[in-house]
Amino acid sequence: MTAVAQLLAGGPRPGDPIRVLSGSGQLGYGIPEKAFRAGLERKPHVIGCDMGSIDSGPYYLGAGAFATSPLIAKRDLRLVLNGSLSIGVPLIIGTAGTSGAAPHLEKTLALVREIAREDNLSFRMAVIPADIPRDLLRGLVRAGRTRALGRIDELTAATVDGAAHIVGQMGTEAIIRALQMEPDVIITGRACDTAIFAAVPAMLGYDLGAAMHMAKIIECTSLCCVPGGRDAMLGTLDGDSFELESMNPIRAATPLSVAAHSLYEQSDPLTVYEPEGMLHVGTARFDAIDERRTRVSGAVWHPASQFTVKVEGAQWLGERAILCAASCDPRVIANTGAIEAAVRESVDDIIPPTGSDSYELYFHIYGKQGVDLFNRPVTGAAAEEIFFLVECIAPTAELAKSVTSVTKQYLLHHGFSGRLSTGGNVAFPFTPPELGGGPAYRFSIYHVMECDSLESLFPVSIEQVG
Amino acid sequence: MKLMDLAKVVRSKNAGPLHVTLDLMFADSQTYELVRQSPALAQSSIAELYCVDPSTVNVVPYPAALAIKIAIDRPVIAGTPGDCDVFGAQQHKPLLEIEI
């Protein structure tokens, strides 16, 4: 009998407490083993792990690469696979391989099969890809059924065709469909973080407001505690409220720390949008059970009349090369604006950025608000030292490297007005100071699409492993 | 008093690649109320501080956590060349010095 078959036959029902163990908020960075094992001791009914994030930028979705080390990802997968199989409960891993597109899912499945072989494990696995077919998305664009989720261009057929990979965030619906096929392990492409942890309670008929709110909090494991951390977190759902407890005794889930977690990486702390509806947490109550456990109630689930799916896509822009240089000369520091303009002009003369040779050049000048996203006017005293990180994106790695090489020489020797240090304007930390950075991508799709059938979008397949 | 001397947490982080959000958290409800009602935290004041259009700024008080959330449209989508803070984790500095 598989883990899900056992759960369906003799597992908890609404009215009984159901325990959901969150093993990882980003599987692949090293799951703390002691707390995870303490979580297994508490006999959870399901174990969930989130393996993805969009925060690390468009490269991983575009290139089909893990943000984490495959070595550590394998170590974490081994821990949670052996752990869940040893106590016979379902394991759900969401957003395989950082971004959850086909290559990420394939690489994750290859690691899982490798672990099964090496550890002599045998289990039934459900796999749910999340790649969005381009013709479907183009059709929705034409029908006006997509919209931007903020300051990004509206979708066109060209944007859809230009993306290297396109994924949609599946919700509980897809994972419940997989659960109904009674596997031991579910591995998904891109998924809503909440769906991973809410699917089993939702399938069993638990209160959706409480189930989704609990999922939203435990998806980051013990980050909702003081002190916050990456240790496994246990959520126990009972009726229309739930209880939170970190599996590391030094971490306390207090009413304030749990409430504060609602702010994390959310643009609106009061509402959470899912494919199947919206969770309103503005009415939630947080009550201390003791010093390190909190009970939460009062969130309300509003089912949607129209399914919507968040879609993400990344487009290749070119190849990146960078140049590293620094200065402590007060005249250089005072004249960076004029120096940058003159160097750009010289580089343009030598390598005209036109036609198929067009490229982009960016000067990040640290010590002069180099980290200010909003380009506010520079204020305050001049820095003692500044760092030039010059970035070029060009159609080929060779051209990007050529542009940074020419930039290097003109930056070093540009004769600006008032210059004293005619030996060179900058110091290089090593040689060569220009480095290849690999392919560069941008998020070209971060939109929501209306969707009539979730079932055809996120198909489930079953595989017997081992 | 400066905000950095009143708040327990002043942090920034992306909420998806299109928004950067700023969280202010306070140790007690008096301080929270004091800051929440300050004109320095008005949408227009935050817009001026960050040199952005007020329509791109949203200020949401969250009393359950004694916190105030500010969301601002990112001028550059996270990770697009020309970005300088992919996670948006270092955009809180202008808030530190504001007078309440």
Side-chain angles (χ1 to χ4, degrees):
Chain A
M1 219 178 182
T2 66
V4 175
Q6 286 182 46
L7 191 67
L8 288 169
R13 293 295 178 270
D16 306 328
I18 181 168
R19 290 178 295 279
V20 180
L21 181 68
S22 172
S24 182
Q26 222 181 342
L27 186 143
Y29 281 119
I31 295 174
E33 190 170 340
K34 196 171 164 197
F36 181 72
R37 295 211 180 279
L40 295 179
E41 297 285 316
R42 302 293 288 273
K43 300 192 169 33
H45 296 102
V46 57
I47 300 173
C49 294
D50 184 11
M51 197 175 174
S53 172
I54 196 169
D55 300 336
S56 32
Y59 172 81
Y60 306 98
L61 177 57
F66 283 21
T68 60
S69 139
L71 208 69
I72 305 300
K74 187 174 174 185
R75 177 251 181 216
D76 284 356
L77 287 169
R78 169 167 273 138
L79 181 67
V80 298
L81 276 169
N82 279 286
S84 63
L85 292 168
S86 73
I87 59 166
V89 301
L91 171 68
I92 304 175
I93 297 175
T95 310
T98 306
S99 306
H104 308 92
L105 186 56
E106 272 315 311
K107 285 175 198 169
T108 305
L109 295 176
L111 289 175
V112 167
R113 293 184 195 111
E114 203 173 287
I115 294 163
R117 247 193 335 271
E118 290 166 1
D119 295 3
N120 206 17
L121 303 175
S122 167
F123 51 89
R124 184 173 157 91
M125 178 166 74
V127 179
I128 322 175
D131 304 274
I132 302 298
R134 288 174 206 270
D135 51 350
L136 175 113
L137 187 53
R138 273 194 304 262
L140 292 170
V141 170
R142 265 198 311 277
R145 300 185 71 190
T146 61
R147 78 186 147 77
L149 281 165
R151 193 193 274 185
I152 185 167
D153 292 341
E154 286 300 340
L155 283 187
T156 64
T159 326
V160 174
D161 292 337
H165 296 108
I166 306 173
V167 290
Q169 292 191 7
M170 70 184 75
T172 48
E173 182 279 338
I175 299 176
I176 290 173
R177 247 186 308 112
L179 286 164
Q180 283 160 349
M181 296 163 92
E182 302 189 355
D184 296 292
V185 174
I186 299 176
I187 301 194
T188 84
R190 186 67 170 126
C192 296
D193 306 344
T194 40
I196 303 163
F197 305 95
V200 164
M203 175 184 69
L204 296 174
Y206 281 81
D207 179 81
L208 280 177
M212 296 302 278
H213 195 198
M214 182 171 90
K216 183 69 208 153
I217 296 169
I218 65 173
E219 59 105 347
C220 292
T221 60
S222 293
L223 215 57
C224 64
C225 298
V226 273
R230 302 169 48 79
D231 299 288
M233 189 81 193
L234 186 70
T236 305
L237 178 58
D238 187 1
D240 58 3
S241 69
F242 59 92
E243 188 183 309
L244 297 164
E245 181 182 353
S246 173
M247 294 297 96
N248 182 338
I250 69 156
R251 307 200 186 285
T254 70
L256 199 62
S257 74
V258 172
H261 185 66
S262 306
L263 297 167
Y264 191 66
E265 292 177 347
Q266 286 285 115
S267 56
D268 172 357
L270 305 180
T271 42
V272 182
Y273 289 93
E274 299 286 322
E276 304 88 0
M278 184 263 273
L279 179 72
H280 180 67
V281 304
T283 45
R285 285 182 48 114
F286 304 87
D287 298 298
I289 297 169
D290 53 33
E291 316 77 74
R292 47 182 310 278
R293 289 184 305 158
T294 284
R295 179 165 286 277
V296 186
S297 58
V300 183
W301 174 255
H302 301 278
S305 53
Q306 169 74 58
F307 293 141
T308 53
V309 170
K310 207 187 258 189
V311 193
E312 301 163 353
Q315 181 182 1
W316 180 80
L317 290 178
E319 299 293 317
R320 173 180 280 122
I322 62 162
L323 166 70
C324 301
S327 180
C328 61
D329 182 311
R331 296 269 173 101
V332 172
I333 293 169
N335 286 286
T336 50
I339 294 170
E340 178 185 329
V343 171
R344 279 180 178 278
E345 208 178 309
S346 305
V347 176
D348 265 25
D349 279 347
I350 293 157
I351 312 178
T354 50
S356 63
D357 280 346
S358 87
Y359 59 84
E360 299 282 339
L361 195 58
Y362 302 92
F363 279 67
H364 304 272
I365 306 176
Y366 294 95
K368 287 207 163 182
Q369 281 170 247
V371 295
D372 184 3
L373 187 56
F374 296 94
N375 274 322
R376 300 155 66 245
V378 177
T379 53
E384 285 284 309
E385 295 183 345
I386 59 169
F387 179 73
F388 292 91
L389 179 66
V390 183
E391 176 188 7
C392 177
I393 313 289
T396 63
E398 190 187 6
L399 182 61
K401 201 75 171 283
S402 305
V403 173
T404 48
S405 293
V406 173
T407 306
K408 172 185 71 176
Q409 217 53 17
Y410 281 85
L411 181 60
L412 181 64
H413 292 304
H414 173 63
F416 59 92
S417 165
R419 184 190 198 206
L420 297 169
S421 59
T422 54
N425 299 327
V426 290
F428 299 117
F430 42 71
T431 174
E434 62 273 52
L435 303 166
Y441 294 84
R442 72 176 176 95
F443 284 121
S444 52
I445 304 178
Y446 193 70
H447 293 70
V448 68
M449 67 178 192
E450 291 180 2
C451 197
D452 296 327
S453 161
L454 294 172
E455 194 165 340
S456 55
L457 209 53
F458 303 111
V460 181
S461 65
I462 290 282
E463 173 181 340
Q464 179 60 41
V465 181
Chain B
M1 255 180 115
K2 287 192 167 118
L3 182 61
M4 66 185 294
D5 300 319
L6 288 166
K8 197 175 67 174
V9 172
V10 181
R11 69 182 181 193
S12 79
K13 195 76 187 279
N14 291 347
L18 308 183
H19 297 97
V20 65
T21 72
L22 306 151
D23 296 343
L24 309 175
M25 298 184 191
F26 304 93
D28 56 75
S29 51
Q30 289 87 336
T31 319
Y32 162 74
E33 279 300 327
L34 176 77
V35 177
R36 187 184 65 83
Q37 290 169 20
S38 164
L41 266 285
Q43 185 187 29
S44 56
S45 313
I46 299 294
E48 198 178 326
L49 183 67
Y50 278 87
C51 302
V52 297
D53 189 279
S55 67
T56 66
V57 177
N58 195 19
V59 182
V60 185
Y62 186 45
L66 303 178
I68 299 167
K69 173 119 224 160
I70 302 165
I72 310 181
D73 286 0
R74 284 184 65 106
V76 181
I77 297 171
T80 297
D83 187 9
C84 57
D85 186 359
V86 174
F87 286 59
Q90 287 290 305
Q91 303 308 315
H92 56 292
K93 188 187 161 198
L95 289 172
L96 299 176
E97 300 286 330
I98 62 176
E99 285 289 339
I100 301 297

